[in-house]
Amino acid sequence: MYPAGTVPRDFLHHYARQFQTIELNSTFYGIPTASVVDGWRRKVPDTFVFCPKVFRDASHDDSPVVALKAMRAFAEVISRLGPRLGGCFLQLPPELGPLQRVRLVDLLDVWPTELPIAVEFRHPDWFSGGQLIDSAVATLQAAGAGVVITDVAGRRDVCHSTLTTELVMIRCVGNNLHPTDRLRATWWAQ
């Protein structure tokens, strides 16, 4: 994929000449500095967009003070992407179900409305009959948040067909070369 001899600092430059977007999983593990975000923006063409995963302290920390502070700090830094921000996504922990919906409401309440965000639900109780349950839909619509539809082997519930806004993110997750990985990716591409 990269020209021979490409050094790591030039990977994004070359990647962005082949693809139009990238999921930033690294942002889940730490909030990038302003200079790092500015560097990302400079290395890509005007048509390229980033889809960063929200920092895990916002989504996975049990302390509301820590979570809300992390959500605000992440939004502030990632907003530097400007028009290169395709949409952020908040991946909820697998143990966070509808009974803890207030945590999601609080996070979305502090998220700047001008920044696009989608939510990835993982607890099985958020789903019923191939759709998100009504309380999830209402929560996202009230916040202007989109959805993440996840296609992963072994979890057909998370490959739901619910839309809440014009923003929808489709994540095709490989599973150690599961026999269905290539088939599912081909289906989405078509």
Side-chain angles (χ1 to χ4, degrees):
M1 173 159 90
Y2 300 112
T6 302
V7 294
R9 74 173 176 271
D10 294 333
F11 284 173
L12 178 59
H13 169 81
H14 291 289
Y15 178 94
R17 267 111 193 106
Q18 298 294 318
F19 301 100
Q20 296 175 348
T21 188
I22 191 168
E23 173 187 314
L24 290 176
N25 194 54
S26 64
T27 55
F28 181 72
Y29 299 101
I31 298 175
T33 64
S35 62
V36 166
V37 173
D38 293 345
W40 291 339
R41 193 182 64 242
R42 283 192 305 270
K43 290 181 181 182
V44 299
D46 291 345
T47 55
F48 190 88
V49 294
F50 295 88
C51 297
K53 189 186 293 186
V54 174
F55 179 44
R56 67 179 168 194
D57 281 8
S59 57
H60 287 60
D61 198 289
D62 289 332
S63 164
V65 172
V66 171
L68 297 176
K69 181 179 177 185
M71 191 74 160
R72 287 184 191 102
F74 181 80
E76 182 179 333
V77 170
I78 217 66
S79 69
R80 298 179 70 87
L81 287 171
R84 309 278 184 319
L85 180 59
C88 299
F89 69 101
L90 177 66
Q91 183 185 64
L92 298 180
E95 67 276 2
L96 195 147
L99 294 177
Q100 296 87 27
R101 186 179 71 86
V102 70
R103 283 180 56 187
L104 173 59
V105 170
D106 290 346
L107 290 170
L108 293 174
D109 279 349
V110 301
W111 187 259
T113 56
E114 67 274 9
L115 297 182
I117 191 163
V119 177
E120 182 175 30
F121 295 93
R122 296 164 71 201
H123 191 287
D125 290 350
W126 288 109
F127 307 95
S128 177
Q131 301 285 324
L132 286 175
I133 62 172
D134 291 343
S135 64
V137 172
T139 299
L140 297 181
Q141 287 176 333
V147 295
V148 176
I149 296 172
T150 309
D151 194 336
V152 61
R155 283 292 307 271
R156 300 324 298 156
D157 56 342
V158 295
C159 193
H160 61 88
S161 60
T162 307
L163 301 180
T164 57
T165 67
E166 291 182 10
L167 175 62
V168 62
M169 299 176 80
I170 300 170
R171 295 187 73 218
C172 296
V173 181
N175 194 355
N176 295 320
L177 297 178
H178 186 276
T180 66
D181 285 352
R182 185 174 304 278
L183 177 66
R184 289 180 293 106
T186 301
W187 182 81
W188 280 108
Q190 291 172 349

